[in-house]
Amino acid sequence: MLMRFSRVVSLVLLLIFTAVLTGAVKASLNDKPVGFASVPTADLPEGTVGGLGGEIVFVRTAEELEKYTTAEGKYIIVVDGTIVFEPKREIKVLSNKTIVGINDAKIVGGGLVIKDAQNVIIRNIHFEGFYMEDDPQGKKYDFDYINAENSHHIWIDHCTFVNGNDGAVDITKYSNYITVSWCKFVDHDKVSLVGSSDKEDPEQAGQAYKVTYHHNYFKNCIQRMPRIRFGMAHVFNNFYSMGLRTGVSGNVFPIYGVASAMGAKVHVEGNYFMGYGAVMAEAGIAFLPTRIMGPVEGYLTLGEGDAKNEFYYCKEPEVRPVEEGKPALDPREYYDYTLDPVQDVPKIVVDGAGAGKLVFEELNTAQ
């Protein structure tokens, strides 16, 4: 018993030491999101908690992963290492699931569809393999790395998404109360769409689509970071580093960052936007950090003072307030949060965002 205790203590100390050396972050299955995913409702009085309290299972194959994502009840599903989907496909995720990665977890050629579900957490997983050369615009296969459909209370945290044909994280069909945090998006075109189409029921859609994006790293991406229809979005402390997207036959020049359409209310604060450069500005194809889109325009406001955004080598951001001098929405009416100083955002986000950064100590004694 003493030997086992000593071995566990040594392992924990090693993990802590490793985290200090690699810049990894100590994480827990009890962690709570910041943002709309944290907002309590009658059926989820603690906000999003995923599969907390459920059985912990370790999965190493696509079949094992799908077995537990489609099982009824609470599960903490631990993706251990690389899982390859052959053929490429999406699998369904039911309610009350936490899916976390260890040992440089990757899902290659696979996507997660959260459909008609609630209370799902996905953390510390690298997604790749959804770029197909015969479908550069994502119309033929329509694969998303993560897609929420008619679902609520979802937290996507510390994941990496590389070069897919369609969405990296799409939020559709009246989904609600979602946070996307500390994720890294690389060489992706249509990054994150909120709202299925312009033809959704305006009243129902206006009550849905409450989404927070914070501390995400958008690197050499093209558009929809995010694009919001109907609902409301709080976009803060993200780092946009725009360059050429290479190795693809689709769009290669960055177009825009955050867009608001169909009456959506979007507040953008404390973000650092770095465009493609002065030469592109002279050519008229410089990066547009914020955009107002139609056919019914949305609303979008920028933080001021300590909440200001920084813009470098960008076009002039587009804004449209609901009421002059006031933000399009006040996030503090829904949840508390802390803004990092905008000048610190590039380093904080580059160092901290993406998969492989989290260390879950309690999982090392659960195997």
Side-chain angles (χ1 to χ4, degrees):
M1 181 70 176
L2 181 59
M3 286 181 64
R4 185 171 183 271
F5 175 76
S6 177
R7 185 165 65 88
V8 170
V9 170
S10 298
L11 177 61
V12 169
L13 290 173
L14 177 62
L15 286 168
I16 293 172
F17 181 67
T18 302
V20 171
L21 288 179
T22 62
V25 178
K26 181 179 176 182
S28 170
L29 299 174
N30 293 289
D31 289 342
K32 299 291 181 68
V34 172
F36 278 115
S38 70
V39 174
T41 55
D43 51 348
L44 288 171
E46 296 182 46
T48 307
V49 297
L52 192 64
E55 181 183 356
I56 299 175
V57 294
F58 291 79
V59 299
R60 298 173 180 88
T61 67
E63 291 73 24
E64 289 175 342
L65 178 61
E66 187 170 17
K67 173 184 175 181
Y68 289 106
T69 62
T70 57
E72 296 289 344
K74 296 180 180 179
Y75 281 96
I76 294 171
I77 304 165
V78 185
V79 177
D80 186 358
T82 298
I83 292 178
V84 179
F85 282 76
E86 293 180 348
K88 302 175 193 291
R89 60 193 175 94
E90 298 172 328
I91 62 173
K92 192 172 181 180
V93 180
L94 299 189
S95 299
N96 306 313
K97 303 293 185 290
T98 293
I99 307 171
V100 299
I102 62 171
N103 295 328
D104 295 320
K106 288 185 179 180
I107 294 177
V108 181
L112 305 176
V113 178
I114 307 164
K115 186 174 182 179
D116 304 323
Q118 64 179 29
N119 193 30
V120 173
I121 294 173
I122 303 168
R123 305 182 74 191
N124 208 42
I125 298 174
H126 176 112
F127 292 83
E128 65 177 57
F130 266 176
Y131 179 77
M132 281 73 79
E133 186 62 32
D134 62 335
D135 185 26
Q137 299 300 324
K139 301 296 185 182
K140 181 177 178 180
Y141 301 103
D142 195 28
F143 287 151
D144 299 328
Y145 287 124
I146 297 177
N147 187 6
E149 300 182 8
N150 191 37
S151 298
H152 63 93
H153 285 88
I154 299 166
W155 182 25
I156 302 164
D157 177 67
H158 279 92
C159 291
T160 296
F161 304 91
V162 179
N163 192 14
N165 287 65
D166 200 28
V169 176
D170 278 2
I171 298 163
T172 62
K173 298 184 180 178
Y174 309 113
S175 294
N176 208 355
Y177 296 115
I178 297 171
T179 293
V180 181
S181 60
W182 294 100
C183 289
K184 184 176 180 179
F185 301 87
V186 183
D187 290 327
H188 203 97
D189 184 356
K190 296 174 283 188
V191 176
S192 188
L193 178 68
V194 180
S196 302
S197 77
D198 295 343
K199 297 180 180 179
E200 287 190 297
D201 177 71
E203 184 173 351
Q204 185 177 357
Q207 296 300 313
Y209 299 131
K210 298 179 184 68
V211 189
T212 302
Y213 293 81
H214 73 88
H215 293 93
N216 299 293
Y217 182 15
F218 300 98
K219 183 179 180 182
N220 302 340
C221 294
I222 306 300
Q223 59 188 318
R224 300 183 182 178
M225 296 176 259
R227 175 184 173 183
I228 316 290
R229 291 184 175 105
F230 295 108
M232 57 177 63
H234 181 205
V235 182
F236 75 93
N237 279 158
N238 302 285
F239 179 39
Y240 297 79
S241 179
M242 298 297 104
L244 277 178
R245 178 175 176 241
T246 60
V248 298
S249 58
N251 293 326
V252 297
F253 289 104
I255 301 172
Y256 69 86
V258 185
S260 180
M262 304 307 295
K265 297 178 177 65
V266 182
H267 189 54
V268 178
E269 57 179 347
N271 301 281
Y272 198 106
F273 294 88
M274 185 185 299
Y276 186 52
V279 173
M280 293 297 102
E282 292 167 4
I285 53 174
F287 180 67
L288 178 62
T290 61
R291 180 178 183 183
I292 308 301
M293 299 181 70
V296 177
E297 292 184 336
Y299 302 96
L300 188 148
T301 51
L302 304 175
E304 299 177 350
D306 291 341
K308 70 175 182 178
N309 302 275
E310 293 285 354
F311 305 97
Y312 296 95
Y313 301 117
C314 298
K315 292 181 181 178
E316 190 73 19
E318 296 180 358
V319 297
R320 183 172 181 249
V322 179
E323 184 178 346
E324 199 64 41
K326 292 187 178 181
L329 76 144
D330 182 359
R332 297 191 195 280
E333 293 182 0
Y334 299 91
Y335 54 83
D336 293 326
Y337 64 99
T338 301
L339 275 176
D340 286 312
V342 68
Q343 65 269 18
D344 297 338
V345 164
K347 178 171 175 50
I348 290 171
V349 171
V350 170
D351 287 350
K357 300 293 178 70
L358 301 183
V359 176
F360 295 89
E361 293 176 5
E362 64 258 60
L363 293 179
N364 291 278
T365 57
Q367 299 189 63

PDB file of all heavy atoms in Angstrom, residues 219-244:
ATOM      1  N   LYS A 219      -5.184  31.192 -36.788  1.00  0.00           N
ATOM      2  CA  LYS A 219      -3.932  31.333 -37.516  1.00  0.00           C
ATOM      3  C   LYS A 219      -4.130  30.976 -38.993  1.00  0.00           C
ATOM      4  O   LYS A 219      -4.494  29.846 -39.328  1.00  0.00           O
ATOM      5  CB  LYS A 219      -2.858  30.427 -36.909  1.00  0.00           C
ATOM      6  CG  LYS A 219      -1.498  30.563 -37.575  1.00  0.00           C
ATOM      7  CD  LYS A 219      -0.466  29.659 -36.912  1.00  0.00           C
ATOM      8  CE  LYS A 219       0.886  29.808 -37.593  1.00  0.00           C
ATOM      9  NZ  LYS A 219       1.901  28.906 -36.995  1.00  0.00           N
ATOM     10  N   ASN A 220      -3.943  31.955 -39.857  1.00  0.00           N
ATOM     11  CA  ASN A 220      -4.039  31.756 -41.309  1.00  0.00           C
ATOM     12  C   ASN A 220      -5.395  31.182 -41.723  1.00  0.00           C
ATOM     13  O   ASN A 220      -5.475  30.297 -42.584  1.00  0.00           O
ATOM     14  CB  ASN A 220      -2.910  30.853 -41.822  1.00  0.00           C
ATOM     15  CG  ASN A 220      -1.536  31.414 -41.504  1.00  0.00           C
ATOM     16  OD1 ASN A 220      -1.388  32.600 -41.242  1.00  0.00           O
ATOM     17  ND2 ASN A 220      -0.536  30.560 -41.521  1.00  0.00           N
ATOM     18  N   CYS A 221      -6.437  31.690 -41.097  1.00  0.00           N
ATOM     19  CA  CYS A 221      -7.796  31.279 -41.439  1.00  0.00           C
ATOM     20  C   CYS A 221      -8.430  32.320 -42.369  1.00  0.00           C
ATOM     21  O   CYS A 221      -7.893  33.402 -42.569  1.00  0.00           O
ATOM     22  CB  CYS A 221      -8.634  31.079 -40.186  1.00  0.00           C
ATOM     23  SG  CYS A 221      -8.059  29.699 -39.150  1.00  0.00           S
ATOM     24  N   ILE A 222      -9.589  32.003 -42.915  1.00  0.00           N
ATOM     25  CA  ILE A 222     -10.158  32.817 -43.987  1.00  0.00           C
ATOM     26  C   ILE A 222     -11.358  33.646 -43.535  1.00  0.00           C
ATOM     27  O   ILE A 222     -11.411  34.853 -43.754  1.00  0.00           O
ATOM     28  CB  ILE A 222     -10.561  31.918 -45.179  1.00  0.00           C
ATOM     29  CG1 ILE A 222      -9.376  31.067 -45.645  1.00  0.00           C
ATOM     30  CG2 ILE A 222     -11.101  32.767 -46.328  1.00  0.00           C
ATOM     31  CD1 ILE A 222      -8.178  31.853 -46.106  1.00  0.00           C
ATOM     32  N   GLN A 223     -12.339  33.022 -42.879  1.00  0.00           N
ATOM     33  CA  GLN A 223     -13.589  33.720 -42.571  1.00  0.00           C
ATOM     34  C   GLN A 223     -14.347  32.979 -41.466  1.00  0.00           C
ATOM     35  O   GLN A 223     -13.952  31.909 -41.036  1.00  0.00           O
ATOM     36  CB  GLN A 223     -14.458  33.801 -43.828  1.00  0.00           C
ATOM     37  CG  GLN A 223     -14.822  32.448 -44.423  1.00  0.00           C
ATOM     38  CD  GLN A 223     -15.517  32.552 -45.753  1.00  0.00           C
ATOM     39  OE1 GLN A 223     -16.377  33.402 -45.947  1.00  0.00           O
ATOM     40  NE2 GLN A 223     -15.154  31.688 -46.704  1.00  0.00           N
ATOM     41  N   ARG A 224     -15.440  33.616 -40.984  1.00  0.00           N
ATOM     42  CA  ARG A 224     -16.327  33.040 -39.959  1.00  0.00           C
ATOM     43  C   ARG A 224     -15.564  32.758 -38.661  1.00  0.00           C
ATOM     44  O   ARG A 224     -15.490  31.635 -38.202  1.00  0.00           O
ATOM     45  CB  ARG A 224     -17.000  31.762 -40.455  1.00  0.00           C
ATOM     46  CG  ARG A 224     -17.846  31.954 -41.688  1.00  0.00           C
ATOM     47  CD  ARG A 224     -18.530  30.664 -42.080  1.00  0.00           C
ATOM     48  NE  ARG A 224     -19.321  30.834 -43.300  1.00  0.00           N
ATOM     49  CZ  ARG A 224     -19.991  29.868 -43.906  1.00  0.00           C
ATOM     50  NH1 ARG A 224     -19.988  28.646 -43.390  1.00  0.00           N
ATOM     51  NH2 ARG A 224     -20.670  30.105 -45.013  1.00  0.00           N
ATOM     52  N   MET A 225     -15.077  33.820 -38.018  1.00  0.00           N
ATOM     53  CA  MET A 225     -14.305  33.656 -36.785  1.00  0.00           C
ATOM     54  C   MET A 225     -14.890  34.452 -35.622  1.00  0.00           C
ATOM     55  O   MET A 225     -14.138  35.175 -34.950  1.00  0.00           O
ATOM     56  CB  MET A 225     -12.853  34.069 -37.057  1.00  0.00           C
ATOM     57  CG  MET A 225     -12.148  33.191 -38.063  1.00  0.00           C
ATOM     58  SD  MET A 225     -10.487  33.777 -38.441  1.00  0.00           S
ATOM     59  CE  MET A 225     -10.765  34.596 -40.019  1.00  0.00           C
ATOM     60  N   PRO A 226     -16.188  34.316 -35.311  1.00  0.00           N
ATOM     61  CA  PRO A 226     -17.232  33.530 -35.982  1.00  0.00           C
ATOM     62  C   PRO A 226     -18.097  34.425 -36.879  1.00  0.00           C
ATOM     63  O   PRO A 226     -17.935  35.637 -36.914  1.00  0.00           O
ATOM     64  CB  PRO A 226     -18.051  33.026 -34.816  1.00  0.00           C
ATOM     65  CG  PRO A 226     -18.002  34.199 -33.850  1.00  0.00           C
ATOM     66  CD  PRO A 226     -16.629  34.787 -33.993  1.00  0.00           C
ATOM     67  N   ARG A 227     -19.079  33.789 -37.562  1.00  0.00           N
ATOM     68  CA  ARG A 227     -20.169  34.497 -38.240  1.00  0.00           C
ATOM     69  C   ARG A 227     -21.456  34.156 -37.516  1.00  0.00           C
ATOM     70  O   ARG A 227     -21.811  32.991 -37.371  1.00  0.00           O
ATOM     71  CB  ARG A 227     -20.266  34.065 -39.707  1.00  0.00           C
ATOM     72  CG  ARG A 227     -21.468  34.686 -40.427  1.00  0.00           C
ATOM     73  CD  ARG A 227     -21.593  34.175 -41.844  1.00  0.00           C
ATOM     74  NE  ARG A 227     -22.832  34.659 -42.459  1.00  0.00           N
ATOM     75  CZ  ARG A 227     -23.229  34.311 -43.692  1.00  0.00           C
ATOM     76  NH1 ARG A 227     -22.495  33.484 -44.415  1.00  0.00           N
ATOM     77  NH2 ARG A 227     -24.354  34.778 -44.182  1.00  0.00           N
ATOM     78  N   ILE A 228     -22.173  35.185 -37.054  1.00  0.00           N
ATOM     79  CA  ILE A 228     -23.344  35.003 -36.196  1.00  0.00           C
ATOM     80  C   ILE A 228     -24.614  35.439 -36.922  1.00  0.00           C
ATOM     81  O   ILE A 228     -24.679  36.544 -37.464  1.00  0.00           O
ATOM     82  CB  ILE A 228     -23.244  35.851 -34.904  1.00  0.00           C
ATOM     83  CG1 ILE A 228     -21.844  35.762 -34.306  1.00  0.00           C
ATOM     84  CG2 ILE A 228     -24.303  35.449 -33.906  1.00  0.00           C
ATOM     85  CD1 ILE A 228     -21.486  34.456 -33.720  1.00  0.00           C
ATOM     86  N   ARG A 229     -25.625  34.589 -36.869  1.00  0.00           N
ATOM     87  CA  ARG A 229     -26.973  34.978 -37.295  1.00  0.00           C
ATOM     88  C   ARG A 229     -27.905  34.990 -36.076  1.00  0.00           C
ATOM     89  O   ARG A 229     -27.831  34.097 -35.225  1.00  0.00           O
ATOM     90  CB  ARG A 229     -27.554  33.989 -38.312  1.00  0.00           C
ATOM     91  CG  ARG A 229     -26.906  33.969 -39.688  1.00  0.00           C
ATOM     92  CD  ARG A 229     -27.678  33.000 -40.558  1.00  0.00           C
ATOM     93  NE  ARG A 229     -27.233  32.966 -41.936  1.00  0.00           N
ATOM     94  CZ  ARG A 229     -26.510  31.984 -42.472  1.00  0.00           C
ATOM     95  NH1 ARG A 229     -26.108  30.978 -41.706  1.00  0.00           N
ATOM     96  NH2 ARG A 229     -26.184  32.004 -43.744  1.00  0.00           N
ATOM     97  N   PHE A 230     -28.780  35.976 -36.013  1.00  0.00           N
ATOM     98  CA  PHE A 230     -29.937  36.039 -35.107  1.00  0.00           C
ATOM     99  C   PHE A 230     -29.603  36.209 -33.627  1.00  0.00           C
ATOM    100  O   PHE A 230     -30.205  37.036 -32.952  1.00  0.00           O
ATOM    101  CB  PHE A 230     -30.820  34.788 -35.257  1.00  0.00           C
ATOM    102  CG  PHE A 230     -31.466  34.642 -36.595  1.00  0.00           C
ATOM    103  CD1 PHE A 230     -31.025  33.676 -37.485  1.00  0.00           C
ATOM    104  CD2 PHE A 230     -32.507  35.467 -36.980  1.00  0.00           C
ATOM    105  CE1 PHE A 230     -31.619  33.526 -38.733  1.00  0.00           C
ATOM    106  CE2 PHE A 230     -33.118  35.335 -38.222  1.00  0.00           C
ATOM    107  CZ  PHE A 230     -32.664  34.359 -39.102  1.00  0.00           C
ATOM    108  N   GLY A 231     -28.700  35.414 -33.075  1.00  0.00           N
ATOM    109  CA  GLY A 231     -28.513  35.363 -31.629  1.00  0.00           C
ATOM    110  C   GLY A 231     -27.608  36.451 -31.090  1.00  0.00           C
ATOM    111  O   GLY A 231     -27.615  37.585 -31.561  1.00  0.00           O
ATOM    112  N   MET A 232     -26.801  36.086 -30.088  1.00  0.00           N
ATOM    113  CA  MET A 232     -25.862  37.041 -29.508  1.00  0.00           C
ATOM    114  C   MET A 232     -24.542  36.341 -29.223  1.00  0.00           C
ATOM    115  O   MET A 232     -24.516  35.170 -28.826  1.00  0.00           O
ATOM    116  CB  MET A 232     -26.432  37.702 -28.261  1.00  0.00           C
ATOM    117  CG  MET A 232     -26.846  36.774 -27.146  1.00  0.00           C
ATOM    118  SD  MET A 232     -27.433  37.688 -25.682  1.00  0.00           S
ATOM    119  CE  MET A 232     -28.875  38.535 -26.348  1.00  0.00           C
ATOM    120  N   ALA A 233     -23.460  37.066 -29.435  1.00  0.00           N
ATOM    121  CA  ALA A 233     -22.138  36.501 -29.219  1.00  0.00           C
ATOM    122  C   ALA A 233     -21.240  37.502 -28.515  1.00  0.00           C
ATOM    123  O   ALA A 233     -21.266  38.697 -28.811  1.00  0.00           O
ATOM    124  CB  ALA A 233     -21.506  36.080 -30.543  1.00  0.00           C
ATOM    125  N   HIS A 234     -20.458  36.986 -27.599  1.00  0.00           N
ATOM    126  CA  HIS A 234     -19.435  37.757 -26.906  1.00  0.00           C
ATOM    127  C   HIS A 234     -18.092  37.211 -27.358  1.00  0.00           C
ATOM    128  O   HIS A 234     -17.791  36.027 -27.169  1.00  0.00           O
ATOM    129  CB  HIS A 234     -19.617  37.597 -25.396  1.00  0.00           C
ATOM    130  CG  HIS A 234     -18.630  38.381 -24.583  1.00  0.00           C
ATOM    131  ND1 HIS A 234     -18.279  38.010 -23.293  1.00  0.00           N
ATOM    132  CD2 HIS A 234     -17.932  39.525 -24.855  1.00  0.00           C
ATOM    133  CE1 HIS A 234     -17.413  38.895 -22.826  1.00  0.00           C
ATOM    134  NE2 HIS A 234     -17.185  39.814 -23.747  1.00  0.00           N
ATOM    135  N   VAL A 235     -17.284  38.068 -27.964  1.00  0.00           N
ATOM    136  CA  VAL A 235     -16.014  37.663 -28.560  1.00  0.00           C
ATOM    137  C   VAL A 235     -14.915  38.460 -27.861  1.00  0.00           C
ATOM    138  O   VAL A 235     -14.778  39.665 -28.080  1.00  0.00           O
ATOM    139  CB  VAL A 235     -16.022  37.930 -30.085  1.00  0.00           C
ATOM    140  CG1 VAL A 235     -14.722  37.473 -30.720  1.00  0.00           C
ATOM    141  CG2 VAL A 235     -17.225  37.244 -30.752  1.00  0.00           C
ATOM    142  N   PHE A 236     -14.103  37.785 -27.005  1.00  0.00           N
ATOM    143  CA  PHE A 236     -13.110  38.552 -26.261  1.00  0.00           C
ATOM    144  C   PHE A 236     -11.784  37.814 -26.126  1.00  0.00           C
ATOM    145  O   PHE A 236     -11.717  36.600 -26.059  1.00  0.00           O
ATOM    146  CB  PHE A 236     -13.645  38.976 -24.888  1.00  0.00           C
ATOM    147  CG  PHE A 236     -13.735  37.900 -23.823  1.00  0.00           C
ATOM    148  CD1 PHE A 236     -12.689  37.691 -22.929  1.00  0.00           C
ATOM    149  CD2 PHE A 236     -14.874  37.130 -23.684  1.00  0.00           C
ATOM    150  CE1 PHE A 236     -12.773  36.734 -21.935  1.00  0.00           C
ATOM    151  CE2 PHE A 236     -14.979  36.170 -22.682  1.00  0.00           C
ATOM    152  CZ  PHE A 236     -13.922  35.973 -21.803  1.00  0.00           C
ATOM    153  N   ASN A 237     -10.727  38.610 -26.121  1.00  0.00           N
ATOM    154  CA  ASN A 237      -9.356  38.145 -25.875  1.00  0.00           C
ATOM    155  C   ASN A 237      -8.905  37.037 -26.826  1.00  0.00           C
ATOM    156  O   ASN A 237      -8.137  36.141 -26.454  1.00  0.00           O
ATOM    157  CB  ASN A 237      -9.197  37.673 -24.425  1.00  0.00           C
ATOM    158  CG  ASN A 237      -8.990  38.797 -23.443  1.00  0.00           C
ATOM    159  OD1 ASN A 237      -9.235  38.649 -22.247  1.00  0.00           O
ATOM    160  ND2 ASN A 237      -8.545  39.966 -23.913  1.00  0.00           N
ATOM    161  N   ASN A 238      -9.353  37.098 -28.073  1.00  0.00           N
ATOM    162  CA  ASN A 238      -8.872  36.177 -29.095  1.00  0.00           C
ATOM    163  C   ASN A 238      -7.721  36.817 -29.876  1.00  0.00           C
ATOM    164  O   ASN A 238      -7.624  38.040 -29.981  1.00  0.00           O
ATOM    165  CB  ASN A 238     -10.002  35.814 -30.060  1.00  0.00           C
ATOM    166  CG  ASN A 238     -11.174  35.187 -29.343  1.00  0.00           C
ATOM    167  OD1 ASN A 238     -11.122  34.035 -28.938  1.00  0.00           O
ATOM    168  ND2 ASN A 238     -12.251  35.967 -29.169  1.00  0.00           N
ATOM    169  N   PHE A 239      -6.867  35.987 -30.467  1.00  0.00           N
ATOM    170  CA  PHE A 239      -5.750  36.461 -31.273  1.00  0.00           C
ATOM    171  C   PHE A 239      -5.960  36.010 -32.710  1.00  0.00           C
ATOM    172  O   PHE A 239      -6.051  34.817 -32.999  1.00  0.00           O
ATOM    173  CB  PHE A 239      -4.427  35.924 -30.734  1.00  0.00           C
ATOM    174  CG  PHE A 239      -3.218  36.340 -31.528  1.00  0.00           C
ATOM    175  CD1 PHE A 239      -3.103  37.619 -32.049  1.00  0.00           C
ATOM    176  CD2 PHE A 239      -2.174  35.449 -31.734  1.00  0.00           C
ATOM    177  CE1 PHE A 239      -1.985  38.014 -32.778  1.00  0.00           C
ATOM    178  CE2 PHE A 239      -1.046  35.825 -32.455  1.00  0.00           C
ATOM    179  CZ  PHE A 239      -0.959  37.108 -32.979  1.00  0.00           C
ATOM    180  N   TYR A 240      -6.039  37.000 -33.616  1.00  0.00           N
ATOM    181  CA  TYR A 240      -6.212  36.742 -35.040  1.00  0.00           C
ATOM    182  C   TYR A 240      -4.895  37.044 -35.740  1.00  0.00           C
ATOM    183  O   TYR A 240      -4.476  38.200 -35.819  1.00  0.00           O
ATOM    184  CB  TYR A 240      -7.318  37.631 -35.611  1.00  0.00           C
ATOM    185  CG  TYR A 240      -8.686  37.375 -35.016  1.00  0.00           C
ATOM    186  CD1 TYR A 240      -9.038  37.879 -33.767  1.00  0.00           C
ATOM    187  CD2 TYR A 240      -9.641  36.640 -35.707  1.00  0.00           C
ATOM    188  CE1 TYR A 240     -10.292  37.651 -33.218  1.00  0.00           C
ATOM    189  CE2 TYR A 240     -10.906  36.409 -35.178  1.00  0.00           C
ATOM    190  CZ  TYR A 240     -11.222  36.914 -33.933  1.00  0.00           C
ATOM    191  OH  TYR A 240     -12.463  36.675 -33.399  1.00  0.00           O
ATOM    192  N   SER A 241      -4.224  36.006 -36.233  1.00  0.00           N
ATOM    193  CA  SER A 241      -2.956  36.167 -36.936  1.00  0.00           C
ATOM    194  C   SER A 241      -3.156  35.672 -38.363  1.00  0.00           C
ATOM    195  O   SER A 241      -3.155  34.478 -38.640  1.00  0.00           O
ATOM    196  CB  SER A 241      -1.857  35.359 -36.239  1.00  0.00           C
ATOM    197  OG  SER A 241      -0.634  35.500 -36.930  1.00  0.00           O
ATOM    198  N   MET A 242      -3.341  36.621 -39.287  1.00  0.00           N
ATOM    199  CA  MET A 242      -3.784  36.275 -40.629  1.00  0.00           C
ATOM    200  C   MET A 242      -2.623  36.221 -41.617  1.00  0.00           C
ATOM    201  O   MET A 242      -1.868  37.179 -41.760  1.00  0.00           O
ATOM    202  CB  MET A 242      -4.808  37.305 -41.117  1.00  0.00           C
ATOM    203  CG  MET A 242      -6.079  37.359 -40.271  1.00  0.00           C
ATOM    204  SD  MET A 242      -7.029  35.814 -40.303  1.00  0.00           S
ATOM    205  CE  MET A 242      -6.621  35.117 -38.689  1.00  0.00           C
ATOM    206  N   GLY A 243      -2.485  35.094 -42.282  1.00  0.00           N
ATOM    207  CA  GLY A 243      -1.504  34.931 -43.353  1.00  0.00           C
ATOM    208  C   GLY A 243      -2.096  34.041 -44.423  1.00  0.00           C
ATOM    209  O   GLY A 243      -3.248  33.625 -44.345  1.00  0.00           O
ATOM    210  N   LEU A 244      -1.307  33.746 -45.434  1.00  0.00           N
ATOM    211  CA  LEU A 244      -1.782  32.893 -46.516  1.00  0.00           C
ATOM    212  C   LEU A 244      -2.074  31.479 -46.015  1.00  0.00           C
ATOM    213  O   LEU A 244      -1.275  30.886 -45.291  1.00  0.00           O
ATOM    214  CB  LEU A 244      -0.739  32.814 -47.622  1.00  0.00           C
ATOM    215  CG  LEU A 244      -0.710  33.947 -48.654  1.00  0.00           C
ATOM    216  CD1 LEU A 244       0.410  33.709 -49.637  1.00  0.00           C
ATOM    217  CD2 LEU A 244      -2.043  34.041 -49.377  1.00  0.00           C
TER     218      LEU A 244
END
